[in-house]
Amino acid sequence: MKFSVPDMSCGHCVAAIEKAVLSKDPAAIVLCDLEQRTVDIEAPQTADELVEVIRAAGYELSPLATS
């Protein structure tokens, strides 16, 4: 699942998002692209569950369509 995170602006943001997702699922694969301000996550959780975890960490995000 890929998400747009417009307020992800630095390495601290990347680390906070990765930590939040990994606290939900330590086996998740989290790929943050700071330049594009996107996060790609491979995990069994639903998009809604991941959105909730990242929002709880203080970041607004929205799912991106995947082709």
Side-chain angles (χ1 to χ4, degrees):
M1 291 169 269
K2 193 166 194 168
F3 301 93
S4 170
V5 188
D7 53 348
M8 180 175 68
S9 60
C10 66
H12 172 76
C13 298
V14 168
I17 291 168
E18 288 174 344
K19 182 179 178 182
V21 173
L22 293 174
S23 72
K24 179 78 172 174
D25 180 359
I29 299 172
V30 184
L31 303 171
C32 295
D33 184 333
L34 187 54
E35 186 176 310
Q36 297 295 318
R37 297 187 180 190
T38 60
V39 179
D40 195 5
I41 303 170
E42 290 183 37
Q45 286 75 28
T46 66
D48 289 341
E49 289 174 310
L50 295 171
V51 165
E52 183 180 317
V53 167
I54 295 170
R55 283 193 176 146
Y59 298 90
E60 284 302 313
L61 69 157
S62 58
L64 293 173
T66 56
S67 50

